[in-house]
Amino acid sequence: MNNSTETPVTIIGLGLMGRALAGAFLKAGHPTIVWNRTSSKADQLVAEGARLAPTIGDALKAGSPTIICVTDYPALYELLGADGVELDGARLVNLTSGSSAQAREAARWAEQRGARYLDGAVMAVPSAIGTADAVILHSGPQADFEAHESALGALGTVTYLGADHGLASLYDVAGLAMMWSVLNAWLQGTAMLRTVGVDAATYAPFARQIAAGVAEWLPGYAEQIDSGSFPAEVSALETDVRAMEHLIEESEAVGVNAELPKLLKTMADRAIAAGHGKEQYPVLIEEFGKPRDD
């Protein structure tokens, strides 16, 4: 018999991430109910103390906070909209990846059926779940977040972003933009250095130092963006463009793809043509902030 006083939780969806979420709750002492379309994925969790709900409807009837982690939003609607599934009174925390528009629509859909709905995003790999390195973002009604905050803390570092259900998804993709940009910049440099026999492992510590140094600029650059004023305290954009030219020339000279630096220079050239050449690099927010027609 489980005498735990921790909040019971329910997990719907037992892919790699769903199983990690359930495992973290179990480890933290939460009575955990699980459901998955393929029930065999619950075997190990059941062996660890989880209870397998026979149907998704039974899982929701448990009345505990229900964390949903499925393939995509169509799968969410297919499962929760099935015949016999009652959402009235359900407390849903959706950690399924998707867009901000999908999150807002899912919130409306769930609330129309009587459910309380929080959207979320997991900024971690499954192996990090249950540690402080796992950042879990949430958006939706603050009262709902506060009601679940203690239990959700078993998953990692939980953060509340605001009442707009789409915020967690927006932060998620903004984080992906950071991740891919840093990785792509590193790959560009690595490709160039490999042409003279410097391996990736040798370059990585230097690249890490550069990335960390650039990250220190962000708060000051954020102040410029938020104020709409971009004084060239470090370097003017027209100076940065000359350095971009060097990067493009060097890439092409050693036979490395120069598409990425050319794209960045194209954006900087447009900003300079608009009269921003003597301002600091964050003025490019104006280029990032508008769509291109071509």
Side-chain angles (χ1 to χ4, degrees):
M1 178 183 236
N2 192 329
N3 295 316
S4 173
T5 59
E6 298 292 345
T7 304
V9 295
T10 297
I11 307 291
I12 292 176
L14 298 177
L16 288 175
M17 184 60 74
R19 294 199 298 275
L21 298 173
F25 281 124
L26 285 168
K27 186 175 180 180
H30 293 271
T32 303
I33 298 169
V34 297
W35 182 87
N36 192 70
R37 199 193 306 266
T38 304
S39 61
S40 60
K41 288 190 176 182
D43 290 349
Q44 182 59 42
L45 293 166
V46 170
E48 294 171 2
R51 180 164 69 85
L52 176 63
T55 69
I56 189 171
D58 291 320
L60 289 164
K61 286 176 185 175
S64 54
T66 300
I67 289 80
I68 304 165
C69 187
V70 293
T71 306
D72 51 27
Y73 278 79
L76 179 147
Y77 291 125
E78 180 184 354
L79 293 173
L80 298 187
D83 291 341
V85 176
E86 177 58 62
L87 291 181
D88 190 26
R91 295 178 289 163
L92 307 178
V93 181
N94 183 28
L95 298 183
T96 299
S97 296
S99 70
S100 58
Q102 287 177 313
R104 295 184 188 110
E105 177 55 35
R108 286 190 290 269
W109 182 87
E111 289 166 356
Q112 287 170 357
R113 288 157 178 77
R116 305 291 300 180
Y117 181 94
L118 273 179
D119 205 82
V122 180
M123 308 295 288
V125 295
S127 60
I129 298 299
T131 74
D133 291 335
V135 175
I136 319 293
L137 307 176
H138 298 280
S139 53
Q142 186 169 357
D144 290 344
F145 171 75
E146 291 175 348
H148 306 322
E149 183 176 8
S150 178
L152 292 171
L155 302 180
T157 301
V158 295
T159 301
Y160 175 70
L161 300 173
D164 177 357
H165 285 95
L167 279 172
S169 292
L170 276 174
Y171 266 75
D172 183 22
V173 293
L176 291 175
M178 284 290 300
M179 178 188 74
W180 285 323
S181 295
V182 171
L183 288 174
N184 287 337
W186 175 67
L187 290 170
Q188 179 84 34
T190 299
M192 295 171 66
L193 287 165
R194 287 177 67 191
T195 66
V196 293
V198 178
D199 61 23
T202 300
Y203 174 51
F206 175 80
R208 183 177 182 181
Q209 183 179 13
I210 294 295
V214 172
E216 293 298 317
W217 303 350
L218 299 185
Y221 279 10
E223 290 180 7
Q224 290 194 342
I225 291 172
D226 292 341
S227 68
S229 177
F230 306 94
E233 299 166 347
V234 177
S235 175
L237 185 59
E238 60 189 13
T239 301
D240 290 328
V241 164
R242 288 195 288 273
M244 292 177 188
E245 291 171 352
H246 297 158
L247 172 57
I248 293 167
E249 291 167 3
E250 189 68 52
S251 295
E252 292 179 334
V254 299
V256 166
N257 189 307
E259 288 177 274
L260 181 58
K262 283 181 177 179
L263 172 61
L264 297 176
K265 184 177 180 295
T266 296
M267 297 178 74
D269 286 340
R270 287 200 299 262
I272 290 172
H276 300 297
K278 297 191 181 304
E279 296 177 274
Q280 195 157 259
Y281 197 84
V283 75
L284 280 180
I285 190 66
E286 305 302 332
E287 291 297 319
F288 280 97
K290 60 188 178 187
R292 294 293 298 170
D293 295 329
D294 50 1

